[in-house]
Amino acid sequence: MSDELHLLIEKLVYGGDGLAHADGNTVFAPYVLPGEEIRAEITSRKKKLVWAKPLEILKANPARVKPVCPHFGTCGGCHYQHASYQAQLNFKIEILRETLSRMGGVNSTGEITPHTAEPLHYRNRAQWAVSNANPRALGYYLPESNAIVPIDHCDVLSPGLADTFARLQEITRSAALPSEVLEIEAFVDSSDEKIALNVAFKEFRNPVPELTRLFHDTVPALHSLLLLDQKKNRFELSGPGYLIQEAGGYQFRVSHLSFFQVNRFLAEDLLRTVIAGAAGDLALDLYAGVGFFTLPLTKTFRRVVSVDANLSATRNLRENADTADMSIVSQHVQTEEFLKTATEAPDFVVLDPPRAGLGHASARKLADLGPKEIAYLSCDPSTLARDLAILMQTPRKPADSAPTHRYEITSMDFFDLFPQTYHIEALVRLRRM
Protein backbone atom coordinates (compact mmCIF):
# COMPACT_ATOMS: atom_id res chain seq x y z
CA MET A 1 0.00 0.00 0.00
CA SER A 2 1.50 3.31 -1.11
CA ASP A 3 2.03 6.09 1.43
CA GLU A 4 -0.04 8.38 -0.81
CA LEU A 5 -3.74 7.64 -1.32
CA HIS A 6 -6.59 8.80 -3.51
CA LEU A 7 -9.68 8.62 -1.34
CA LEU A 8 -13.43 9.08 -1.65
CA ILE A 9 -14.79 10.19 1.74
CA GLU A 10 -17.89 8.15 2.51
CA LYS A 11 -19.06 9.79 5.75
CA LEU A 12 -17.97 11.57 8.92
CA VAL A 13 -17.58 9.57 12.12
CA TYR A 14 -17.69 10.58 15.77
CA GLY A 15 -14.34 12.13 16.60
CA GLY A 16 -14.24 14.48 13.61
CA ASP A 17 -12.60 12.30 10.97
CA GLY A 18 -13.90 11.32 7.59
CA LEU A 19 -14.04 7.61 6.70
CA ALA A 20 -12.90 6.02 3.44
CA HIS A 21 -11.67 2.64 2.22
CA ALA A 22 -8.55 1.79 0.25
CA ASP A 23 -6.95 -1.58 -0.60
CA GLY A 24 -9.08 -3.40 1.96
CA ASN A 25 -8.23 -0.92 4.72
CA THR A 26 -10.44 1.52 6.59
CA VAL A 27 -8.95 5.00 6.37
CA PHE A 28 -9.59 7.99 8.63
CA ALA A 29 -8.72 11.55 7.62
CA PRO A 30 -9.46 14.87 9.38
CA TYR A 31 -10.84 18.12 7.94
CA VAL A 32 -12.73 16.47 5.08
CA LEU A 33 -16.43 16.17 4.17
CA PRO A 34 -18.61 13.37 2.78
CA GLY A 35 -18.43 12.91 -0.97
CA GLU A 36 -15.08 14.64 -1.29
CA GLU A 37 -12.25 13.18 -3.30
CA ILE A 38 -8.88 13.86 -1.73
CA ARG A 39 -5.21 13.10 -2.08
CA ALA A 40 -3.82 12.06 1.30
CA GLU A 41 -0.63 10.86 2.95
CA ILE A 42 -0.57 7.98 5.43
CA THR A 43 0.55 9.04 8.92
CA SER A 44 0.02 5.78 10.86
CA ARG A 45 -1.35 2.26 10.58
CA LYS A 46 -2.75 -0.38 12.91
CA LYS A 47 -3.66 -3.66 11.23
CA LYS A 48 -6.47 -2.79 8.80
CA LEU A 49 -6.91 0.74 10.15
CA VAL A 50 -5.06 3.63 8.52
CA TRP A 51 -4.84 7.32 9.46
CA ALA A 52 -4.02 9.82 6.75
CA LYS A 53 -3.40 13.56 6.36
CA PRO A 54 -5.17 15.36 3.50
CA LEU A 55 -2.78 16.87 0.99
CA GLU A 56 -5.24 18.17 -1.60
CA ILE A 57 -9.01 18.41 -2.02
CA LEU A 58 -9.60 17.16 -5.56
CA LYS A 59 -13.39 17.43 -5.45
CA ALA A 60 -15.01 19.49 -2.70
CA ASN A 61 -18.38 19.07 -0.97
CA PRO A 62 -20.62 22.10 -1.74
CA ALA A 63 -20.92 22.68 2.01
CA ARG A 64 -17.19 23.39 2.31
CA VAL A 65 -16.48 26.97 3.46
CA LYS A 66 -13.43 29.01 4.41
CA PRO A 67 -12.63 28.59 8.13
CA VAL A 68 -12.94 31.78 10.18
CA CYS A 69 -9.88 30.99 12.30
CA PRO A 70 -6.32 31.01 10.91
CA HIS A 71 -5.38 28.33 13.47
CA PHE A 72 -7.99 25.86 12.19
CA GLY A 73 -6.38 22.58 11.26
CA THR A 74 -3.34 23.34 13.40
CA CYS A 75 -4.47 23.78 16.99
CA GLY A 76 -6.88 20.81 16.93
CA GLY A 77 -9.56 22.49 19.07
CA CYS A 78 -12.13 22.76 16.26
CA HIS A 79 -12.96 20.04 13.74
CA TYR A 80 -15.72 21.38 11.47
CA GLN A 81 -14.94 25.01 10.65
CA HIS A 82 -14.50 23.95 7.02
CA ALA A 83 -18.24 23.12 6.82
CA SER A 84 -21.21 25.48 6.77
CA TYR A 85 -23.01 25.58 10.10
CA GLN A 86 -26.16 23.93 8.73
CA ALA A 87 -24.02 21.14 7.31
CA GLN A 88 -22.35 20.66 10.71
CA LEU A 89 -25.76 20.17 12.31
CA ASN A 90 -26.84 17.67 9.66
CA PHE A 91 -23.62 15.69 10.02
CA LYS A 92 -23.90 15.52 13.81
CA ILE A 93 -27.54 14.41 13.82
CA GLU A 94 -26.69 11.73 11.25
CA ILE A 95 -23.74 10.54 13.37
CA LEU A 96 -25.94 10.45 16.48
CA ARG A 97 -28.66 8.41 14.79
CA GLU A 98 -26.17 6.01 13.19
CA THR A 99 -24.21 5.49 16.42
CA LEU A 100 -27.35 4.71 18.44
CA SER A 101 -28.41 2.16 15.84
CA ARG A 102 -25.02 0.52 15.31
CA MET A 103 -23.84 0.38 18.92
CA GLY A 104 -27.10 0.12 20.83
CA GLY A 105 -29.65 -1.34 18.45
CA VAL A 106 -31.69 1.83 18.99
CA ASN A 107 -33.45 2.31 15.67
CA SER A 108 -35.57 5.34 16.44
CA THR A 109 -37.19 6.81 13.34
CA GLY A 110 -38.65 9.77 15.21
CA GLU A 111 -37.48 13.33 14.82
CA ILE A 112 -34.30 14.49 16.55
CA THR A 113 -35.04 18.11 17.43
CA PRO A 114 -32.01 20.41 17.00
CA HIS A 115 -31.32 23.27 19.42
CA THR A 116 -28.86 25.86 18.14
CA ALA A 117 -27.57 29.34 18.82
CA GLU A 118 -24.67 31.57 17.75
CA PRO A 119 -21.97 29.15 16.47
CA LEU A 120 -19.06 31.38 17.55
CA HIS A 121 -18.12 33.24 20.77
CA TYR A 122 -20.16 30.78 22.86
CA ARG A 123 -17.67 29.36 25.38
CA ASN A 124 -17.74 30.66 28.94
CA ARG A 125 -14.80 28.50 30.04
CA ALA A 126 -11.43 27.62 28.51
CA GLN A 127 -8.06 26.18 29.50
CA TRP A 128 -4.72 27.26 28.06
CA ALA A 129 -1.36 25.58 28.39
CA VAL A 130 1.94 27.45 28.54
CA SER A 131 4.46 26.59 25.85
CA ASN A 132 8.00 27.17 27.06
CA ALA A 133 9.39 27.45 23.56
CA ASN A 134 11.19 30.66 22.72
CA PRO A 135 9.22 32.89 22.87
CA ARG A 136 6.83 31.54 25.49
CA ALA A 137 3.14 31.60 24.61
CA LEU A 138 -0.28 30.33 25.61
CA GLY A 139 -1.96 27.74 23.44
CA TYR A 140 -3.90 24.50 23.25
CA TYR A 141 -2.70 20.92 23.55
CA LEU A 142 -2.89 18.91 20.37
CA PRO A 143 -5.34 15.99 20.76
CA GLU A 144 -3.76 13.04 22.58
CA SER A 145 -0.43 14.85 22.72
CA ASN A 146 1.79 16.89 25.03
CA ALA A 147 2.56 19.28 22.17
CA ILE A 148 1.24 22.82 22.64
CA VAL A 149 0.20 24.96 19.69
CA PRO A 150 0.49 28.71 20.43
CA ILE A 151 -2.48 30.78 19.22
CA ASP A 152 -3.19 34.47 18.74
CA HIS A 153 -6.93 34.32 19.34
CA CYS A 154 -9.80 31.82 19.56
CA ASP A 155 -13.12 32.46 17.80
CA VAL A 156 -15.25 30.26 20.06
CA LEU A 157 -14.45 32.24 23.24
CA SER A 158 -16.94 34.74 24.67
CA PRO A 159 -15.81 38.37 24.27
CA GLY A 160 -14.91 38.48 27.97
CA LEU A 161 -12.78 35.35 27.71
CA ALA A 162 -11.22 36.53 24.45
CA ASP A 163 -10.14 39.78 26.10
CA THR A 164 -8.77 37.84 29.08
CA PHE A 165 -6.82 35.54 26.78
CA ALA A 166 -5.31 38.48 24.87
CA ARG A 167 -4.12 40.09 28.11
CA LEU A 168 -2.64 36.85 29.44
CA GLN A 169 -1.00 36.09 26.11
CA GLU A 170 0.63 39.53 26.15
CA ILE A 171 2.31 39.01 29.52
CA THR A 172 3.30 35.47 28.51
CA ARG A 173 5.01 36.58 25.31
CA SER A 174 6.67 39.49 27.07
CA ALA A 175 8.13 37.10 29.67
CA ALA A 176 6.20 38.76 32.52
CA LEU A 177 4.34 35.55 33.32
CA PRO A 178 6.30 33.52 35.90
CA SER A 179 8.15 30.64 34.27
CA GLU A 180 6.64 28.19 36.76
CA VAL A 181 3.09 28.63 35.39
CA LEU A 182 1.94 25.46 33.62
CA GLU A 183 -1.73 26.09 32.77
CA ILE A 184 -4.38 28.76 33.13
CA GLU A 185 -8.09 28.03 33.20
CA ALA A 186 -10.51 30.95 32.85
CA PHE A 187 -14.26 31.19 33.19
CA VAL A 188 -16.71 34.05 33.02
CA ASP A 189 -20.09 34.75 34.61
CA SER A 190 -23.37 34.83 32.69
CA SER A 191 -23.06 38.58 32.10
CA ASP A 192 -19.64 37.98 30.46
CA GLU A 193 -18.18 40.61 32.78
CA LYS A 194 -16.56 38.93 35.79
CA ILE A 195 -13.62 36.58 35.33
CA ALA A 196 -12.29 33.77 37.51
CA LEU A 197 -8.88 32.17 36.96
CA ASN A 198 -7.34 28.87 38.03
CA VAL A 199 -3.56 29.12 37.62
CA ALA A 200 -1.45 25.99 38.06
CA PHE A 201 2.21 26.49 38.98
CA LYS A 202 4.93 23.89 39.11
CA GLU A 203 5.75 25.66 42.37
CA PHE A 204 5.52 29.13 43.87
CA ARG A 205 8.88 30.91 43.65
CA ASN A 206 7.48 34.40 44.09
CA PRO A 207 5.51 35.63 47.11
CA VAL A 208 1.79 34.91 46.73
CA PRO A 209 0.78 38.61 47.13
CA GLU A 210 3.11 39.46 44.24
CA LEU A 211 1.57 36.74 42.05
CA THR A 212 -1.93 37.83 42.99
CA ARG A 213 -1.18 41.44 42.12
CA LEU A 214 0.23 40.43 38.73
CA PHE A 215 -2.99 38.70 37.64
CA HIS A 216 -5.28 41.40 39.01
CA ASP A 217 -3.23 44.08 37.23
CA THR A 218 -3.28 42.07 34.00
CA VAL A 219 -7.01 41.22 34.01
CA PRO A 220 -9.08 44.17 35.32
CA ALA A 221 -12.26 42.05 35.21
CA LEU A 222 -10.71 39.42 37.52
CA HIS A 223 -13.16 38.68 40.31
CA SER A 224 -11.72 35.52 41.86
CA LEU A 225 -8.29 33.92 41.60
CA LEU A 226 -7.15 30.44 42.62
CA LEU A 227 -3.43 29.66 42.54
CA LEU A 228 -2.12 26.10 42.80
CA ASP A 229 1.40 25.05 43.80
CA GLN A 230 1.51 21.50 42.40
CA LYS A 231 4.75 20.61 44.17
CA LYS A 232 3.26 21.25 47.61
CA ASN A 233 -0.40 20.72 46.62
CA ARG A 234 -1.08 24.16 48.07
CA PHE A 235 -3.99 26.40 47.07
CA GLU A 236 -4.16 30.18 47.52
CA LEU A 237 -7.48 31.96 46.95
CA SER A 238 -8.00 35.66 46.29
CA GLY A 239 -11.61 36.75 46.01
CA PRO A 240 -14.96 35.12 46.83
CA GLY A 241 -14.06 31.76 45.27
CA TYR A 242 -17.01 31.63 42.88
CA LEU A 243 -18.93 33.35 40.08
CA ILE A 244 -22.70 33.61 39.66
CA GLN A 245 -24.33 32.04 36.63
CA GLU A 246 -27.97 32.81 35.85
CA ALA A 247 -30.37 30.67 33.82
CA GLY A 248 -34.13 30.27 33.80
CA GLY A 249 -34.59 32.81 36.55
CA TYR A 250 -32.26 30.93 38.91
CA GLN A 251 -28.86 31.92 40.24
CA PHE A 252 -26.11 29.36 40.59
CA ARG A 253 -22.95 29.85 42.59
CA VAL A 254 -20.14 28.11 40.68
CA SER A 255 -16.80 27.68 42.45
CA HIS A 256 -13.38 27.35 40.84
CA LEU A 257 -13.48 23.54 40.82
CA SER A 258 -17.16 23.11 39.92
CA PHE A 259 -18.73 22.51 36.52
CA PHE A 260 -21.35 24.58 34.70
CA GLN A 261 -22.70 24.33 31.17
CA VAL A 262 -20.06 25.78 28.83
CA ASN A 263 -22.32 27.18 26.09
CA ARG A 264 -23.57 30.53 27.39
CA PHE A 265 -26.22 30.83 24.68
CA LEU A 266 -27.97 27.47 25.12
CA ALA A 267 -27.94 26.93 28.90
CA GLU A 268 -31.47 28.29 29.43
CA ASP A 269 -32.95 26.35 26.50
CA LEU A 270 -31.27 23.19 27.80
CA LEU A 271 -32.70 23.73 31.28
CA ARG A 272 -36.25 24.29 30.02
CA THR A 273 -36.19 21.30 27.68
CA VAL A 274 -34.80 18.80 30.17
CA ILE A 275 -37.41 19.48 32.86
CA ALA A 276 -40.37 20.30 30.57
CA GLY A 277 -43.57 18.73 31.84
CA ALA A 278 -41.87 16.92 34.72
CA ALA A 279 -43.94 16.89 37.92
CA GLY A 280 -44.85 14.53 40.75
CA ASP A 281 -43.82 13.40 44.20
CA LEU A 282 -40.13 12.39 43.91
CA ALA A 283 -37.41 13.46 41.46
CA LEU A 284 -33.79 12.34 41.34
CA ASP A 285 -31.05 14.52 39.85
CA LEU A 286 -28.08 12.23 39.22
CA TYR A 287 -24.68 13.83 38.51
CA ALA A 288 -26.35 16.99 39.79
CA GLY A 289 -23.37 19.36 39.79
CA VAL A 290 -24.20 22.78 41.25
CA GLY A 291 -27.94 22.11 41.03
CA PHE A 292 -28.63 23.26 37.47
CA PHE A 293 -31.65 20.93 37.27
CA THR A 294 -32.17 20.37 41.00
CA LEU A 295 -33.35 23.89 41.80
CA PRO A 296 -36.03 24.11 39.08
CA LEU A 297 -37.29 20.60 39.92
CA THR A 298 -38.24 21.76 43.43
CA LYS A 299 -41.01 23.86 41.83
CA THR A 300 -42.88 20.83 40.48
CA PHE A 301 -41.91 17.97 42.83
CA ARG A 302 -42.66 17.53 46.52
CA ARG A 303 -39.25 15.92 47.10
CA VAL A 304 -35.99 16.28 45.16
CA VAL A 305 -32.84 14.24 45.80
CA SER A 306 -29.57 15.33 44.18
CA VAL A 307 -26.52 13.10 43.85
CA ASP A 308 -22.96 14.13 42.93
CA ALA A 309 -19.47 12.95 43.84
CA ASN A 310 -17.74 16.31 43.31
CA LEU A 311 -17.37 17.94 46.73
CA SER A 312 -17.01 21.48 45.35
CA ALA A 313 -20.15 21.12 43.24
CA THR A 314 -22.10 19.56 46.11
CA ARG A 315 -21.20 22.48 48.37
CA ASN A 316 -22.32 24.90 45.66
CA LEU A 317 -25.58 23.03 45.23
CA ARG A 318 -26.37 23.22 48.93
CA GLU A 319 -25.47 26.91 49.02
CA ASN A 320 -27.62 27.56 45.96
CA ALA A 321 -30.58 25.75 47.49
CA ASP A 322 -30.19 27.62 50.79
CA THR A 323 -29.95 30.98 49.01
CA ALA A 324 -33.14 30.21 47.08
CA ASP A 325 -34.81 28.87 50.27
CA MET A 326 -35.43 25.49 48.63
CA SER A 327 -35.68 22.18 50.42
CA ILE A 328 -33.68 19.36 48.85
CA VAL A 329 -31.84 16.21 49.91
CA SER A 330 -28.25 16.42 48.67
CA GLN A 331 -26.08 13.30 48.70
CA HIS A 332 -22.33 13.59 48.19
CA VAL A 333 -21.73 10.14 46.75
CA GLN A 334 -20.97 8.39 43.47
CA THR A 335 -24.13 7.79 41.45
CA GLU A 336 -23.14 4.15 41.12
CA GLU A 337 -23.07 3.75 44.91
CA PHE A 338 -26.35 5.63 45.35
CA LEU A 339 -28.19 3.38 42.88
CA LYS A 340 -26.95 0.25 44.65
CA THR A 341 -28.98 1.12 47.76
CA ALA A 342 -31.90 3.14 46.28
CA THR A 343 -35.27 1.42 46.73
CA GLU A 344 -38.01 4.00 46.08
CA ALA A 345 -39.11 4.42 42.48
CA PRO A 346 -39.10 8.12 41.59
CA ASP A 347 -41.52 9.81 39.22
CA PHE A 348 -38.69 11.45 37.30
CA VAL A 349 -34.93 11.02 36.94
CA VAL A 350 -32.60 13.42 35.20
CA LEU A 351 -29.05 12.27 34.63
CA ASP A 352 -26.14 14.09 33.04
CA PRO A 353 -23.16 11.73 33.36
CA PRO A 354 -19.60 12.27 32.11
CA ARG A 355 -18.47 10.68 28.84
CA ALA A 356 -18.27 7.24 30.43
CA GLY A 357 -22.06 7.29 30.80
CA LEU A 358 -23.94 5.26 33.37
CA GLY A 359 -22.25 1.95 32.68
CA HIS A 360 -23.86 -1.47 32.47
CA ALA A 361 -24.33 -2.05 36.21
CA SER A 362 -25.79 1.39 36.95
CA ALA A 363 -28.07 1.37 33.91
CA ARG A 364 -29.38 -2.00 35.07
CA LYS A 365 -29.89 -0.69 38.61
CA LEU A 366 -31.75 2.34 37.29
CA ALA A 367 -34.05 0.18 35.20
CA ASP A 368 -34.66 -2.11 38.18
CA LEU A 369 -35.53 0.95 40.30
CA GLY A 370 -38.26 1.75 37.80
CA PRO A 371 -38.69 5.53 37.58
CA LYS A 372 -41.74 6.56 35.55
CA GLU A 373 -39.72 8.87 33.32
CA ILE A 374 -36.02 9.41 32.59
CA ALA A 375 -34.33 12.40 30.96
CA TYR A 376 -30.87 11.23 29.89
CA LEU A 377 -28.51 14.04 28.84
CA SER A 378 -25.43 12.56 27.19
CA CYS A 379 -22.19 13.99 25.80
CA ASP A 380 -21.06 10.74 24.14
CA PRO A 381 -23.32 8.89 21.66
CA SER A 382 -21.49 5.56 22.02
CA THR A 383 -21.97 5.27 25.78
CA LEU A 384 -25.50 6.62 25.41
CA ALA A 385 -26.20 3.81 22.92
CA ARG A 386 -24.87 1.20 25.34
CA ASP A 387 -26.99 2.50 28.23
CA LEU A 388 -30.15 2.86 26.13
CA ALA A 389 -29.79 -0.74 24.99
CA ILE A 390 -30.09 -1.79 28.63
CA LEU A 391 -32.93 0.57 29.52
CA MET A 392 -34.88 -0.41 26.39
CA GLN A 393 -34.03 -4.11 26.76
CA THR A 394 -32.17 -4.60 23.52
CA PRO A 395 -29.41 -6.96 24.76
CA ARG A 396 -26.23 -6.85 22.67
CA LYS A 397 -25.20 -10.40 23.72
CA PRO A 398 -27.35 -13.56 23.88
CA ALA A 399 -26.39 -14.07 27.54
CA ASP A 400 -27.63 -10.63 28.60
CA SER A 401 -30.67 -10.77 30.85
CA ALA A 402 -33.35 -8.10 30.74
CA PRO A 403 -33.72 -5.61 33.62
CA THR A 404 -36.93 -5.43 35.63
CA HIS A 405 -38.49 -2.53 33.74
CA ARG A 406 -38.44 -1.61 30.09
CA TYR A 407 -38.40 1.88 28.62
CA GLU A 408 -39.35 3.47 25.33
CA ILE A 409 -38.13 6.73 23.80
CA THR A 410 -40.68 9.53 23.80
CA SER A 411 -38.48 12.29 22.38
CA MET A 412 -34.92 13.01 21.34
CA ASP A 413 -33.18 16.39 21.19
CA PHE A 414 -29.76 17.44 19.95
CA PHE A 415 -28.12 20.46 21.59
CA ASP A 416 -25.20 21.89 19.65
CA LEU A 417 -23.35 23.00 22.77
CA PHE A 418 -19.97 22.86 21.00
CA PRO A 419 -20.29 24.27 17.45
CA GLN A 420 -17.27 23.84 15.17
CA THR A 421 -16.35 20.61 17.02
CA TYR A 422 -17.39 16.97 16.71
CA HIS A 423 -18.96 16.93 20.19
CA ILE A 424 -22.60 15.88 20.42
CA GLU A 425 -24.96 16.60 23.33
CA ALA A 426 -28.12 14.52 23.14
CA LEU A 427 -31.20 14.52 25.35
CA VAL A 428 -33.28 11.34 25.31
CA ARG A 429 -36.61 11.23 27.17
CA LEU A 430 -37.73 7.75 28.16
CA ARG A 431 -41.01 6.48 29.60
CA ARG A 432 -41.53 3.25 31.55
CA MET A 433 -43.65 0.79 29.59
Side-chain angles (χ1 to χ4, degrees):
M1 188 176 184
S2 170
D3 283 345
E4 188 170 302
L5 304 173
H6 184 289
L7 301 173
L8 172 63
I9 305 303
E10 300 166 23
K11 64 179 181 179
L12 296 184
V13 296
Y14 187 69
D17 286 345
L19 180 144
H21 289 89
D23 300 330
N25 297 282
T26 300
V27 185
F28 300 96
Y31 312 122
V32 296
L33 297 176
E36 292 190 329
E37 293 182 24
I38 70 167
R39 188 168 61 88
E41 178 183 35
I42 294 175
T43 56
S44 64
R45 311 170 189 251
K46 186 177 181 181
K47 296 183 179 179
K48 289 290 186 179
L49 300 179
V50 174
W51 287 265
K53 177 178 68 174
L55 298 175
E56 182 183 4
I57 306 297
L58 303 173
K59 179 183 176 182
N61 185 308
R64 179 174 282 273
V65 298
K66 182 180 179 180
V68 298
C69 177
H71 302 296
F72 178 70
T74 303
C75 89
C78 292
H79 315 95
Y80 290 159
Q81 280 196 23
H82 60 302
S84 69
Y85 187 50
Q86 184 58 56
Q88 292 184 37
L89 300 176
N90 295 340
F91 295 145
K92 289 184 182 183
I93 290 175
E94 183 179 341
I95 290 169
L96 172 60
R97 197 183 292 277
E98 189 273 338
T99 304
L100 294 181
S101 174
R102 176 172 50 85
M103 301 192 70
V106 180
N107 298 304
S108 175
T109 58
E111 180 184 5
I112 299 178
T113 304
H115 298 254
T116 65
E118 165 62 44
L120 296 171
H121 315 301
Y122 62 85
R123 287 195 70 102
N124 62 22
R125 195 172 195 124
Q127 188 171 358
W128 308 300
V130 181
S131 169
N132 285 316
N134 189 15
R136 298 177 76 221
L138 296 178
Y140 291 121
Y141 283 110
L142 285 174
E144 301 178 3
S145 170
N146 290 324
I148 300 168
V149 178
I151 60 171
D152 298 312
H153 72 278
C154 179
D155 289 291
V156 299
L157 300 180
S158 75
L161 277 190
D163 178 73
T164 298
F165 172 78
R167 293 171 182 275
L168 292 171
Q169 185 68 288
E170 183 178 354
I171 67 167
T172 305
R173 285 182 163 153
S174 67
L177 185 75
S179 60
E180 297 79 29
V181 175
L182 302 174
E183 292 181 344
I184 302 177
E185 183 176 26
F187 60 108
V188 67
D189 68 354
S190 50
S191 68
D192 198 35
E193 294 176 352
K194 294 179 179 179
I195 296 289
L197 294 179
N198 299 334
V199 185
F201 288 71
K202 185 176 181 181
E203 61 179 320
F204 296 155
R205 290 187 178 174
N206 301 78
V208 169
E210 179 182 320
L211 298 173
T212 300
R213 186 166 54 253
L214 169 66
F215 287 104
H216 277 279
D217 289 345
T218 302
V219 183
L222 185 57
H223 187 65
S224 192
L225 173 66
L226 185 67
L227 306 178
L228 167 62
D229 181 328
Q230 291 190 347
K231 185 176 182 179
K232 296 181 179 178
N233 195 27
R234 170 188 169 194
F235 288 92
E236 293 288 344
L237 176 65
S238 168
Y242 62 87
L243 294 180
I244 296 294
Q245 300 286 356
E246 297 184 6
Y250 299 90
Q251 290 192 339
F252 303 93
R253 179 181 293 194
V254 183
S255 295
H256 286 264
L257 303 181
S258 297
F259 169 79
F260 194 78
Q261 297 296 335
V262 171
N263 190 307
R264 65 195 186 101
F265 298 129
L266 282 175
E268 193 157 314
D269 185 16
L270 179 67
L271 177 58
R272 286 196 307 265
T273 308
V274 167
I275 67 172
D281 178 57
L282 174 62
L284 299 183
D285 185 3
L286 306 181
Y287 310 95
V290 301
F292 186 60
F293 301 119
T294 303
L295 267 60
L297 288 173
T298 62
K299 297 294 186 181
T300 54
F301 287 87
R302 191 172 67 86
R303 296 176 295 153
V304 179
V305 177
S306 69
V307 179
D308 200 283
N310 182 300
L311 181 58
S312 175
T314 299
R315 286 172 175 167
N316 285 155
L317 185 150
R318 292 169 181 172
E319 292 164 345
N320 293 332
D322 288 344
T323 300
D325 195 25
M326 294 175 173
S327 177
I328 63 167
V329 175
S330 171
Q331 298 211 16
H332 174 231
V333 64
Q334 294 280 355
T335 291
E336 295 78 5
E337 296 303 312
F338 172 83
L339 288 173
K340 285 179 182 178
T341 58
T343 56
E344 183 179 2
D347 297 294
F348 182 70
V349 171
V350 56
L351 57 144
D352 182 11
R355 298 195 185 285
L358 268 175
H360 187 281
S362 293
R364 175 67 184 260
K365 287 288 185 181
L366 182 60
D368 288 343
L369 189 61
K372 293 179 182 177
E373 187 178 13
I374 300 171
Y376 191 150
L377 185 62
S378 167
C379 60
D380 188 301
S382 59
T383 57
L384 173 64
R386 176 203 62 204
D387 294 341
L388 289 180
I390 297 167
L391 295 170
M392 299 175 69
Q393 294 189 13
T394 55
R396 306 307 292 158
K397 299 178 183 178
D400 284 353
S401 59
T404 306
H405 300 98
R406 182 180 179 185
Y407 289 83
E408 62 179 355
I409 294 175
T410 58
S411 66
M412 197 177 304
D413 295 77
F414 160 63
F415 287 85
D416 197 24
L417 298 186
F418 302 95
Q420 319 303 335
T421 78
Y422 69 79
H423 297 292
I424 294 173
E425 195 86 8
L427 171 65
V428 180
R429 296 289 286 261
L430 301 125
R431 178 177 57 209
R432 191 180 69 199
M433 299 176 66

